[in-house]
């Protein structure tokens, strides 16, 4: 189950807010800014899979973290390199 709530930015240096879902699992909420066109693509992909964008993102994170460590690190490196310009603009 995905806990999905709007969370105001916590500001630099402050930890993200946490919440508890009904199964008793402690969850941390994060906010990720993405371009509107990418969000539209995420919504379309989620709709095709008959799920929500939040559930699709959570499943993707679960899949990524379940990969062997070497593959995970390669994927992280690829994503960071590919989005370096975006990260510079957001910093």
């Amino acid at each position: 189950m995905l806990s999905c709530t709007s969370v105001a930015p916590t500001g630099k240096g402050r930890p993200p807010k946490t919440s508890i879902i009904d199964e008793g699992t402690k969850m941390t909420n994060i906010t990720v800014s993405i371009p509107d066109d990418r969000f539209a693509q995420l919504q379309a992909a989620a709709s095709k899979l008959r799920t929500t964008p939040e559930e699709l993102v959570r499943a993707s994170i679960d899949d990524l973290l379940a990969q062997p460590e070497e593959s995970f690190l390669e994927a992280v490196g690829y994503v960071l390199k590919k989005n370096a310009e975006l990260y510079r603009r957001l910093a």
Side-chain angles (χ1 to χ4, degrees):
M1 175 179 182
L2 176 63
S3 174
C4 176
T5 58
S6 296
V7 178
T10 59
K12 291 184 179 179
R14 285 191 272 168
K17 295 181 180 181
T18 59
S19 64
I20 307 270
I21 59 174
D22 57 358
E23 289 96 10
T25 302
K26 186 175 179 180
M27 303 284 282
T28 299
N29 293 321
I30 62 170
T31 301
V32 178
S33 299
I34 61 173
D36 290 344
D37 63 325
R38 297 298 283 173
F39 183 68
Q41 290 176 321
L42 177 62
Q43 286 178 309
S47 179
K48 286 180 186 177
L49 296 169
R50 296 185 177 163
T51 190
T52 65
E54 295 84 4
E55 289 172 346
L56 182 56
V57 168
R58 181 166 179 220
S60 298
I61 291 170
D62 288 344
D63 287 347
L64 182 64
L65 295 176
Q67 294 179 12
E69 186 174 332
E70 184 175 333
S71 296
F72 173 73
L73 293 176
E74 288 175 11
V76 168
Y78 172 78
V79 169
L80 290 175
K81 183 178 179 182
K82 183 177 177 184
N83 295 312
E85 180 59 33
L86 175 61
Y87 289 126
R88 277 193 291 275
R89 286 187 271 141
L90 293 174

